[in-house]
Amino acid sequence: MRVYFLSSVPAALYVGGAYFGRISDFERFAELSLQDNMPVRVDAEGMQPVCFFLDERLPLRPPEGVDVYRFDGGLALFIHGFISTDQTLCVITQKRKGETLATVTKQGGLYLGINTPSGFFNATLPPSFCDCELFFIGENILVKGKDRLCVFAPDGKRLLDESYLSAEWSDSELRLAIPLSDRYKRIAECVYTIESGSAERTSYRLKQDADLPSDGLLAYAFFESIRIGADFNPFLCDELQKSPETVLDFLGAFLHVLPTPDPSVCLLTYKKAERLFDVRKFSVRIEDGLIVDITA
């Protein structure tokens, strides 16, 4: 089985006691068997190590601090549960609006504390938010890091978590330019409506280089339209437009769309359980600028 390793921060990867190299958002992979029950240790500077076993429980019950993505023939492991070795309590930033006080603190891990008239709520933040700012969008809290931001409801529920190149917001709307992880270095310009306890993406526009064929955007834009509930019929040929419900049933409810080096192929991510996801590949066939077939 091919196993990919990624990490939320630069870290050293050890498998079976052997050094496998440095990992971050650039993955490393190895051909491994889960029947060997090999121990994994991931060390990041200034952090307690994240340790777990590569065993047959892994694709069913991911360990704390590890997201497991299952795909045909392998697994991708995203390690993020790092806790600082420094247990000193440190206030990173604080912001008040009315009777709501939001505070980001560091004590081992990184946390957002929200003090409201209804009570105190706590949420965990990734290590990348150790340098961040706090803002309010209506009654919701925006935590803005260097290249990533999160939006939380007053009860600590995470509403949005995105990387960004630029961000603008008002009391009810958030506009983001989001980098896409594909070879064309494309950018998605997205608009989110932020209301009490919800963040709904209401529009997007994909930017591309002038030299990139328009078909290079079509598959991704089609799947993204379905994901956010937008009208996807304009991407389809006349025959497929007759039965849009069949298209939706075939694809199912997916969380994310991942571009691939092949512009006609995208990976769709489905949540199966806490920290456990399935990744499925879908291809489209395009004729005269319209999708005429979708295959898995």
Side-chain angles (χ1 to χ4, degrees):
M1 172 183 288
R2 175 166 289 192
V3 181
Y4 289 86
F5 298 89
L6 301 99
S7 172
S8 60
V9 296
L13 172 66
Y14 298 86
V15 180
Y19 177 59
F20 265 52
R22 177 184 167 117
I23 58 173
S24 58
D25 54 359
F26 180 80
E27 77 278 1
R28 287 187 178 273
F29 69 87
E31 297 292 339
L32 300 166
S33 172
L34 299 184
Q35 295 179 344
D36 293 338
N37 298 321
M38 299 183 72
V40 175
R41 178 185 174 109
V42 184
D43 288 335
E45 184 177 4
M47 302 289 182
Q48 298 178 20
V50 176
C51 302
F52 56 94
F53 283 93
L54 284 173
D55 58 27
E56 294 179 336
R57 298 174 300 172
L58 189 64
L60 301 175
R61 297 190 299 275
E64 289 290 337
V66 180
D67 290 345
V68 175
Y69 293 83
R70 306 183 299 196
F71 59 90
D72 187 23
L75 300 173
L77 309 181
F78 179 65
I79 298 100
H80 57 82
F82 296 100
I83 297 176
S84 175
T85 56
D86 182 1
Q87 297 295 312
T88 304
L89 176 61
C90 176
V91 175
I92 303 297
T93 186
Q94 194 172 63
K95 191 85 168 184
R96 177 184 292 277
K97 182 178 182 181
E99 295 184 282
T100 299
L101 177 67
T103 308
V104 175
T105 58
K106 180 180 179 183
Q107 188 175 29
L110 202 62
Y111 307 97
L112 170 66
I114 307 171
N115 199 343
T116 75
S118 301
F120 180 79
F121 304 94
N122 198 47
T124 302
L125 294 171
S128 58
F129 284 89
C130 61
D131 182 11
C132 65
E133 297 177 275
L134 286 173
F135 303 91
F136 281 89
I137 300 180
E139 64 179 20
N140 300 300
I141 296 99
L142 168 66
V143 187
K144 181 173 176 285
K146 180 180 178 182
D147 53 13
R148 181 176 174 183
L149 58 76
C150 291
V151 177
F152 291 88
D155 63 0
K157 178 184 177 182
R158 191 188 306 261
L159 306 177
L160 182 67
D161 184 350
E162 282 284 6
S163 299
Y164 73 94
L165 296 173
S166 65
E168 299 177 353
W169 58 90
S170 64
D171 282 344
S172 60
E173 189 175 86
L174 174 64
R175 294 178 174 271
L176 298 179
I178 299 172
L180 302 182
S181 300
D182 71 346
R183 62 177 177 174
Y184 298 119
K185 296 183 179 180
R186 294 176 291 190
I187 296 171
E189 294 183 337
C190 304
V191 178
Y192 296 85
T193 297
I194 310 295
E195 298 178 342
S196 179
S198 71
E200 180 182 357
R201 189 162 71 169
T202 51
S203 71
Y204 74 91
R205 184 170 69 92
L206 296 177
K207 295 179 65 176
Q208 63 169 338
D209 293 334
D211 294 335
L212 179 64
S214 59
D215 283 359
L217 291 175
L218 200 148
Y220 183 88
F222 163 68
F223 290 119
E224 278 288 87
S225 294
I226 292 178
R227 190 181 77 83
I228 69 171
D231 182 16
F232 58 90
N233 274 328
F235 297 100
L236 302 177
C237 66
D238 291 343
E239 187 64 29
L240 289 179
Q241 285 188 26
K242 295 177 182 178
S243 54
E245 67 283 350
T246 302
V247 174
L248 295 176
D249 289 342
F250 177 64
L251 296 176
F254 52 92
L255 294 177
H256 302 290
V257 183
L258 305 175
T260 72
D262 184 343
S264 67
V265 176
C266 286
L267 303 177
L268 306 186
T269 302
Y270 300 79
K271 185 172 183 178
K272 306 302 293 183
E274 191 66 27
R275 302 186 305 280
L276 181 63
F277 306 87
D278 281 346
V279 180
R280 298 173 59 191
K281 181 172 69 173
F282 287 86
S283 303
V284 301
R285 183 160 61 87
I286 299 170
E287 293 181 2
D288 298 325
L290 296 173
I291 295 172
V292 299
D293 193 21
I294 308 165
T295 56

